Amino acid sequence: SQQGEEDPQALSIQEGENATMNCSYKTSINNLQWYRQNSGRGLVHLILIRSNEREKHSGRLRVTLDTSKKSSSLLITASRAADTASYFCATSYSGGGADGLTFGKGTHLIIQP
Amino acid sequence: DAGITQSPRHKVTETGTPVTLRCHQTENHRYMYWYRQDPGHGLRLIHYSYGVKDTDKGEVSDGYSVSRSKTEDFLLTLESATSSQTSVYFCAISGAGTSGSYEQYFGPGTRLTVT
């Protein structure tokens, strides 16, 4: 399996703090994506970073990609209770949509009020 | 869950029976996918489609078949359900992205229990 791996598996922080999650993968990629899943719901796309990009921002989210280390990180700043969810990284090898995504096992984030 | 529905949302079936799950989209996206989600495994790709009647296998395709006779519908069939196929099944779609990179949109999921 070419599955990515998130680290840590679980993270509990206080509201207002920053949360950082990491993802490692095994082979060359076209892009890496982050998704959020609230309990019992489907996945929601958060951000996509291409292999030729190093950093990307979207609102309170910051994603970095280091292709030499085959790793990515997701930073959520000024966390809120509503950010409590599982976060998954997913890699695409062709980028063309025809190969599906390879997901990691996820980081479960709990924001304590 | 923009424009994606899955049916049924919950199903309990017996070992050995055939089961069909339906994914319906209103976005006219070209690509459709079926994933299963199990504790400790994340999501794993079962099958995907890149057009009407064009499908291919994913990582965990054994015991599953798919069909896509219309752009909007993608069916997943368990030929003879087994307890190992107890899982939550997600359908996803993707269409044209910028610079050839495609994000996916997921349906709400179907919880299948095989007894």
Side-chain angles (χ1 to χ4, degrees):
Chain A
S1 171
Q2 298 174 326
Q3 206 172 40
E5 291 290 337
E6 287 92 342
D7 170 56
Q9 292 186 356
L11 178 62
S12 180
I13 62 174
Q14 295 296 121
E15 193 167 17
E17 294 180 338
N18 296 341
T20 299
M21 288 158 271
N22 302 296
C23 169
S24 61
Y25 57 92
K26 297 179 181 178
T27 66
S28 296
I29 60 173
N30 175 279
N31 66 75
L32 185 144
Q33 305 179 31
W34 285 90
Y35 288 81
R36 183 186 76 233
Q37 184 180 34
N38 292 91
S39 180
R41 306 291 297 273
L43 280 75
V44 174
H45 180 267
L46 295 176
I47 197 164
L48 181 154
I49 186 166
R50 298 183 187 86
S51 60
N52 62 353
E53 297 175 314
R54 292 295 168 260
E55 187 171 311
K56 204 161 183 179
H57 297 255
S58 176
R60 293 185 296 114
L61 305 180
R62 172 179 171 254
V63 169
T64 62
L65 179 64
D66 187 334
T67 53
S68 67
K69 295 182 179 178
K70 292 186 171 61
S71 67
S72 173
S73 67
L74 171 67
L75 168 68
I76 303 174
T77 60
S79 62
R80 305 167 181 169
D83 295 329
T84 294
S86 291
Y87 292 81
F88 295 89
C89 70
T91 50
S92 171
Y93 298 97
S94 75
D99 64 345
L101 295 173
T102 301
F103 283 84
K105 297 177 183 179
T107 292
H108 185 51
L109 175 64
I110 297 173
I111 307 301
Q112 305 281 3
Chain B
D1 302 345
I4 311 170
T5 57
Q6 293 184 230
S7 59
R9 294 293 314 279
H10 301 272
K11 186 170 182 65
V12 179
T13 192
E14 294 183 348
T15 297
T17 60
V19 177
T20 296
L21 308 182
R22 180 181 183 237
C23 177
H24 179 77
Q25 61 146 329
T26 58
E27 306 295 325
N28 201 34
H29 279 351
R30 176 182 179 186
Y31 301 105
M32 299 185 75
Y33 314 84
W34 277 107
Y35 294 89
R36 60 178 290 175
Q37 184 176 32
D38 305 289
H41 287 280
L43 278 81
R44 292 178 291 174
L45 182 67
I46 304 171
H47 281 278
Y48 60 95
S49 170
Y50 45 97
V52 173
K53 297 187 175 159
D54 292 324
T55 65
D56 207 345
K57 297 178 180 179
E59 180 187 354
V60 291
S61 60
D62 287 349
Y64 301 95
S65 63
V66 290
S67 66
R68 191 171 178 198
S69 59
K70 298 185 290 185
T71 299
E72 57 265 36
D73 290 325
F74 193 32
L75 304 181
L76 176 71
T77 298
L78 288 66
E79 308 287 351
S80 177
T82 68
S83 59
S84 65
Q85 294 176 311
T86 292
S87 187
V88 181
Y89 291 85
F90 287 99
C91 175
I93 64 174
S94 69
T98 58
S99 301
S101 295
Y102 294 73
E103 61 194 57
Q104 295 188 10
Y105 301 95
F106 282 79
T110 293
R111 184 173 295 275
L112 176 68
T113 302
V114 183
T115 61

